[in-house]
Amino acid sequence: MAVFAPSPQLTVTVEVLDDKPDIHVHAGGQGVWQSRMIKSLGVDVVLCAALGGETGQVLRHLVGVDLVSREVTARNGAYVHDRRDGARDPVVAMPADALSRHELDDLYEMTLVEGLRAGVAVLSGPAADDEPVPDSVYERLTRDLRDNGCQVVVDLSGGRLAAALAGGPTVVKVSHEELVSDGLADSDALPDLARACRRMAEQGVRAVVVSRAAAETLAMYDDGFVLVEPPRMSTVDTRGGGDSMTAGLAAGLAEGLSMEDALKLGAAAGAVNVMRHGLGSGSGEVVRELAGRVKLERWEDNT
């Protein structure tokens, strides 16, 4: 499958090992973390990205999955986080530069080709404050992929989600906080989230998956709703749990699983992510073992 990650980040995290600073340097960003989990699940994946500047040169050696990239003049973003006290404290963040028109055209074409070859594509966003590509790219890419037989999974928010919805994605993964902050749901109450799901379905979306932090995930498909409850795991870092859920869900679709089984795989991947320090780094073996322990319960919207 193909994952669109317009501008991965270089991440530097400082932790403590044996009472001494322990520095970790990785490729990061939503698309990278998703690709890493998809690869762990044994599904072939290619990451489509733009790489530029000193950060881009380093990222090329750290991605860890098959990479199709456009070399650009725009620099990739980076951040440094300090976790020596157990919390994730941002020290510094460098935003990504915007791509030029020609760089964007080449990245778009490259992603379109890889998505059509794969048959399933995940469209991920850059860091929240980065704008390497305009939101309109997500509408065009979603429409062009789906109109030519590719299943499109989007994990976006804000203007990027609105643009992708206009293109008619196959599956939308979104958090309840994002639905509320984007004005798509009046509150985080289940009936309001369900109404938001139905409105997205009216735009041609086959399934909507709404993660709700520690509460059960709400999913709508086949005109009905289920609550998805993963096994409870000890939490090390909640960051990236939603990205791993998207990765597991998309991997299930690529394997031809039913939506129910794909949801279980996604929920298990999200559960594994939160019990580890590395984002998207869980093993496929433990994810698939836990998938059999995910519970799905029908939920009726009686409002």
Side-chain angles (χ1 to χ4, degrees):
M1 61 186 306
V3 175
F4 176 59
S7 187
Q9 289 179 298
L10 180 64
T11 73
V12 181
T13 306
V14 185
E15 298 187 348
V16 173
L17 179 65
D18 297 329
D19 296 322
K20 298 178 181 179
D22 187 31
I23 299 175
H24 299 262
V25 181
H26 294 289
Q30 188 181 42
V32 172
W33 298 322
Q34 290 166 343
S35 299
R36 189 180 297 153
M37 177 58 74
I38 291 167
K39 181 180 178 180
S40 293
L41 290 167
V43 175
D44 291 337
V45 61
V46 59
L47 183 72
C48 304
L51 299 177
E54 293 182 7
T55 45
Q57 292 178 29
V58 176
L59 281 167
R60 187 176 299 279
H61 301 285
L62 297 177
V63 167
V65 300
D66 287 343
L67 173 69
V68 176
S69 63
R70 167 63 153 90
E71 187 171 339
V72 298
T73 58
R75 300 173 305 167
N76 293 85
Y79 69 69
V80 178
H81 285 179
D82 189 342
R83 289 190 54 180
R84 283 175 291 179
D85 64 356
R88 185 180 289 274
D89 298 320
V91 177
V92 64
M94 183 183 82
D97 294 333
L99 302 185
S100 72
R101 178 168 59 89
H102 293 300
E103 291 170 346
L104 176 57
D105 284 346
D106 289 348
L107 176 61
Y108 187 97
E109 181 180 275
M110 182 177 68
T111 304
L112 183 64
V113 169
E114 294 299 331
L116 294 179
R117 286 173 177 169
V120 178
V122 177
L123 305 189
S124 70
D129 296 329
D130 287 1
E131 297 182 4
V133 300
D135 294 345
S136 59
V137 167
Y138 289 95
E139 178 180 353
R140 293 194 296 119
L141 191 53
T142 299
R143 179 177 291 110
D144 288 348
L145 286 167
R146 190 168 182 184
D147 283 354
N148 287 280
C150 180
Q151 297 187 81
V152 181
V153 180
V154 301
D155 187 349
L156 303 164
S157 61
R160 296 165 191 151
L161 174 58
L165 284 171
T170 312
V171 179
V172 172
K173 155 64 182 65
V174 65
S175 74
H176 68 290
E177 295 102 328
E178 290 164 342
L179 283 181
V180 175
S181 64
D182 290 346
L184 297 175
D186 293 335
S187 77
D188 61 5
L190 281 173
D192 286 337
L193 298 177
R195 279 189 283 274
C197 291
R198 291 197 185 281
R199 284 193 289 269
M200 283 186 271
E202 292 172 356
Q203 295 180 262
V205 179
R206 174 186 168 194
V208 183
V209 181
V210 184
S211 59
R212 300 192 301 137
E216 300 98 328
T217 292
L218 176 69
M220 187 201 74
Y221 61 96
D222 294 339
D223 294 323
F225 292 91
V226 295
L227 292 174
V228 186
E229 182 180 359
R232 299 298 177 185
M233 310 300 297
S234 300
T235 300
V236 173
D237 189 351
T238 60
R239 191 165 179 261
D243 296 329
S244 287
M245 174 183 284
T246 300
L249 175 63
L253 294 179
E255 291 181 329
L257 300 183
S258 66
M259 185 58 66
E260 177 178 308
D261 288 338
L263 279 169
K264 290 180 179 179
L265 194 64
V272 168
N273 183 93
V274 302
M275 72 179 194
R276 297 178 60 91
H277 290 88
L279 280 67
S281 62
S283 73
E285 181 180 8
V286 68
V287 171
R288 293 189 185 276
E289 179 63 31
L290 290 177
R293 292 166 168 76
V294 175
K295 299 176 182 178
L296 267 61
E297 179 183 353
R298 284 287 169 185
W299 180 77
E300 298 294 335
D301 182 8
N302 297 317
T303 58

